[in-house]
Structures are given as C-alpha cells and as structure tokens.
Amino acid sequence: MPAMYEDLQIISYPDPRLKKPSAPVNAVDDSLKELVARMLQLMREHHGVGLAAPQVGQNIRLFVMNHSGDPKDDRVYINPELTEAEGAEDAEEGCLSLPGINANVVRDKTLRMRAVDLDGRSIDQKETGYIARVWQHEFDHLNGTLIIDRMGAVAKMAARKKLRELEEAYEAAHPRPPKPKLLRRK
Ligand code: NI
C-alpha cells in the first residue's frame, strides 16, 4: 500500500471535509483499490458497519460496508445511485465520525441500488431493512450529510455536550491563525 493511503485515518465532526459534497469517481484503478483496502481496514479496526470516502478525507463517491463482520461480506459501492424507495423505518444509528453519538433516524425501508464495484462491473441490487439503512447512511456522507443533520431538535439538544466536546477537540488539533490586528486609522 502506498504511503499515500496507509496514513489515512477516520476524520471526525466538525472536520469541513465531512460537509463537502463528493465528486464522482472517474476511474477504477490501482490507486482506488488501495484506497478501498485502507478503508476496509479502518472500518474493521473501528468495528464499523460502513465507511464512506469523505470519512477518510477523500471527497469522492465511494463507500464500503460489511453488515455481518465476515470479510466475505465486504461490499464496495462506487458512484452509487439509490432509487425506488418504499416504506419508512425509524431506528438508531451511530457514525464513526461522530464518536459517542447515537441518533434515531427515519430511513426508507426498501431501496434499489445501482453502482459500480471494484472490478468496474455494474451492481444492481434491492435491499430491505438494515442493509438499505446502511446504504442511506453512507450515501448521505457523499452529499455532506451527517446523522446530526437528520436528528430532531430534542435529540440534538441531548447530543449538544458531546458535539461541543468534538468541536473543542477539533479546534485544539487545528488552531486557527491569529486574527490580523486592525490598523488604526490616524
Ligand atoms: Ni457515518
């Protein structure tokens, strides 16, 4: 794995890269395969069910998931499109970029997914329930949407302390340059 990807880490709220809409993937090449390998590794290390490229600071339309924990269930979706939404379901979700926060989110129950896999082949799948929920959570990341953007006002109030802690940790790690002193007019 090139050094370019082996140092990638999962970024947390409020890193601005999580809010940025991602651009389509142009080519499924070796570099993309190495990125996916690192994302799968990080997802496993952090016991996640899914991980989207923006969560490792790469604003491209790609995510990985594994709903069972068995490596043969690894799934890679490139340039995903979700259609044919049916039904609605409310359930709790977490996010590797929002450690310590869980939120109930209403999602479509059934969806059709069209995407490209890591071999460049077309994917056309239909899922109901948990996998469809993971699809929607990860797809949201590609559009800069986090679960806190889908939380109700009450849930957001409850998470406020934890969000503030994450904001403070980010500010401590990314100090802002001092403001230029205003020149006093004579
Ligand atoms: Ni997430």
Side-chain angles (χ1 to χ4, degrees):
M1 200 176 290
M4 185 184 166
Y5 292 134
E6 72 187 7
D7 292 337
L8 283 187
Q9 297 297 338
I10 296 176
I11 60 174
S12 296
Y13 168 89
D15 191 305
R17 289 170 290 181
L18 292 168
K19 293 299 293 170
K20 218 173 123 182
S22 288
V25 172
N26 293 319
V28 182
D29 54 15
D30 287 347
S31 152
L32 196 79
K33 285 174 188 171
E34 280 144 14
L35 171 62
V36 165
R38 178 63 180 152
M39 286 171 63
L40 287 166
Q41 190 180 38
L42 285 167
M43 180 179 74
R44 246 183 266 297
E45 273 173 27
H46 292 83
H47 310 287
V49 173
L51 189 66
Q55 293 181 276
V56 293
Q58 307 292 304
N59 284 107
I60 56 170
R61 302 190 77 81
L62 152 75
F63 71 81
V64 299
M65 67 170 281
N66 186 311
H67 64 286
S68 73
D70 183 336
K72 74 173 192 299
D73 287 329
D74 284 346
R75 298 186 186 199
V76 179
Y77 296 100
I78 298 160
N79 296 337
E81 281 175 47
L82 296 174
T83 57
E84 297 175 28
E86 280 171 49
E89 208 167 47
D90 190 6
E92 197 180 66
E93 294 182 16
C95 179
L96 293 178
S97 295
L98 285 161
I101 291 172
N102 290 294
N104 270 68
V105 182
V106 178
R107 300 285 189 188
D108 301 324
K109 195 172 178 183
T110 298
L111 280 170
R112 181 177 181 184
M113 157 75 82
R114 271 181 282 198
V116 170
D117 71 11
L118 209 45
D119 297 314
R121 287 183 301 222
S122 296
I123 297 171
D124 191 344
Q125 298 171 350
K126 206 165 178 178
E127 292 281 1
T128 294
Y130 188 59
I131 291 175
R133 173 170 295 272
V134 178
W135 283 354
Q136 291 167 85
H137 178 114
E138 302 309 330
F139 187 83
D140 265 358
H141 275 298
L142 307 184
N143 295 327
T145 301
L146 301 174
I147 53 173
I148 47 170
D149 302 315
R150 295 195 178 276
M151 277 160 84
V154 174
K156 204 157 179 180
M157 279 290 279
R160 206 173 54 179
K161 185 166 172 277
K162 195 75 220 177
L163 288 172
R164 188 70 210 127
E165 281 171 22
L166 291 171
E167 286 160 9
E168 281 166 6
Y170 183 83
E171 280 160 24
H174 303 83
R176 268 174 269 191
K179 282 193 184 132
K181 285 201 180 86
L182 289 173
L183 291 171
R184 194 171 293 166
R185 209 172 279 168
K186 279 185 182 160

